[in-house]
Amino acid sequence: QVQLVESGGGLVQPGGSLRLSCAASRSINFYVAMGWYRQAPGKQRELVADIRSGGITNYADSLKGRFTISRDNAKNMVYLQMNSLKPEDTAVYYCNYGGAGGSWGQGTQVTVSS
C-alpha cells in the first residue's frame, strides 16, 4: 500500500494562500486518481479536488477558481494550491490515492483566521 505524507498546512489569515504537498512512499500509477479531501469539525469528509491521468481535474463546485490541484508523477507528489482562503476552509486536509478504498495520509491542519 502506498504511504502518503502531507505537509504545508498551518495558520493563515483570510484572503491568504497556502500550498499543500503530498509525498507518496513509492512510485504511483499514472492512471490512478489522486486527490485532496477535507474534514471540518462536526462535518463529513468531503472531496476538495482530484486529478486523473491526462491531467483531468475535478473540483468541488464551491472551490472552483480558488483551489488548484496538480501532480508530478516523476516525483510521486500531488499538490493543492489554495488561494483567497476563507474561514470556512478551515479543516484537516487529507491526501488520497485511489479513491475511498485507497490510501490516505494522516492529514494536515489548515486554519484560516484573523
Side-chain angles (χ1 to χ4, degrees), residues 38-46 88 90-92 94 109:
R38 69 184 184 184
Q39 187 166 19
K43 295 188 177 181
Q44 290 188 332
R45 191 173 296 189
E46 62 177 0
E88 51 263 43
T90 295
V92 178
Y94 296 92
Q109 177 70 46

Side-chain angles (χ1 to χ4, degrees), residues 7-8 12 15-22 36 38 48-49 59 63-71 78-85 89 93 110:
S7 60
V12 63
S17 298
L18 282 176
R19 187 191 192 212
L20 304 183
S21 299
C22 173
W36 288 94
R38 69 184 184 184
V48 174
Y59 293 91
L63 302 177
K64 288 179 181 177
R66 295 196 297 123
F67 289 15
T68 303
I69 189 171
S70 60
R71 76 192 269 178
V78 65
Y79 306 96
L80 184 69
Q81 178 67 43
M82 305 186 294
N83 298 326
S84 302
L85 283 161
D89 295 319
Y93 285 71
V110 172

Side-chain angles (χ1 to χ4, degrees), residues 15-37:
S17 298
L18 282 176
R19 187 191 192 212
L20 304 183
S21 299
C22 173
S25 60
R26 61 168 176 81
S27 295
I28 53 179
N29 187 324
F30 174 75
Y31 296 101
V32 176
M34 294 195 72
W36 288 94
Y37 291 71

